[in-house]
Amino acid sequence: MEVLDYIVYAPKPVNVTEIARKFDMSISNAYKYLDDLYKGGLLSKNSDKSYFPSFKLVEYGSIILKKINLREIAHPHLVNLMVKTGQTVHLAIKEGYEGIYIEKIEGPNSLPMMSRIGMKINLYATAFGKAILAHLPEEEIEEYLENVELKKRGKNTITDSNKLKNELKKIRERGYSIDNEENEIGIFCIGAPIFNYDKKVIAGVSISMSTARAEEEKVDEYILYVKECAENISKLLGYKG
């Protein structure tokens, strides 16, 4: 598997000598690994006896992608995040210019919230939403801002597009987002982006608590937990940062 992984990520076809040198093995052993992978259909071979990944891997990839269920994959990590923080955890995706909750796990220490699975919500004033927006291509961010009215929702909602773009830049740099009474008065949230195998942001995870409790809780520690949760889910989706 290490040999296959090396060849998949190599910039050009690989020969027996390179594999032997890379993995500190004899030429005969290197050939045996390559020949087994070739006979198994995972590698193709050039006329100069160099090897490269076969289209069978593409076939496997397409089948795996069809079977991936983000909510199912994420669930144990979301539960773990809730246990660590005691706060309500949300998982949401972007659909058009809005976000949609696809999972919610209520924590024992958080306030009752109106959010529910399947509910649509804005992206610009929510922690998970800003985490998603921050990692979209620039042209998609511009398109979003051209089509979405930034309405006042909480006392700290960012309603100026330039200020929001600056905020998204900061989020991109630090890897997490904060919603401090931007979407709802009295609610404080921490969010982080989830990426897929193609390094595209596909979802966001967040925890929510009362603003008053945020002042008492270990927010810096919670930020690390949220980022770790998002990173673990991203890895399961094939993301390599």
Side-chain angles (χ1 to χ4, degrees), residues 32 38 91-92 104 137 174 212 216:
K32 180 180 182 303
Y38 174 68
L91 176 68
K104 176 184 180 181
R174 67 193 184 201
E216 304 169 4

Side-chain angles (χ1 to χ4, degrees), residues 160-177:
D160 179 273
S161 60
N162 288 324
K163 289 182 179 179
L164 181 58
K165 282 194 280 188
N166 288 333
E167 172 72 3
L168 297 180
K169 182 180 178 183
K170 293 176 184 176
I171 293 168
R172 218 165 24 245
E173 292 170 350
R174 67 193 184 201
Y176 69 91
S177 57

Side-chain angles (χ1 to χ4, degrees), residues 1 23 37 44 56 78 103 119 140 146 185 187 196 199-200 202 215 221 226 228 231 234 241:
M1 292 309 299
F23 294 95
L37 290 167
S44 295
K56 190 168 186 177
L78 302 178
E103 185 61 287
M119 177 181 171
E140 287 190 39
E146 288 174 5
I185 293 174
I187 298 296
N196 68 2
K199 297 186 177 182
K200 291 181 179 178
I202 61 164
E215 295 174 359
E221 191 174 311
V226 173
E228 180 183 48
E231 288 166 3
S234 296

Side-chain angles (χ1 to χ4, degrees), residues 209-238:
M209 66 196 84
S210 71
T211 305
R213 182 172 287 277
E215 295 174 359
E216 304 169 4
E217 299 287 353
K218 301 175 182 177
V219 171
D220 289 343
E221 191 174 311
Y222 286 178
I223 288 170
L224 295 178
Y225 290 150
V226 173
K227 289 176 67 176
E228 180 183 48
C229 176
E231 288 166 3
N232 287 336
I233 296 169
S234 296
K235 287 177 184 176
L236 291 174
L237 297 173

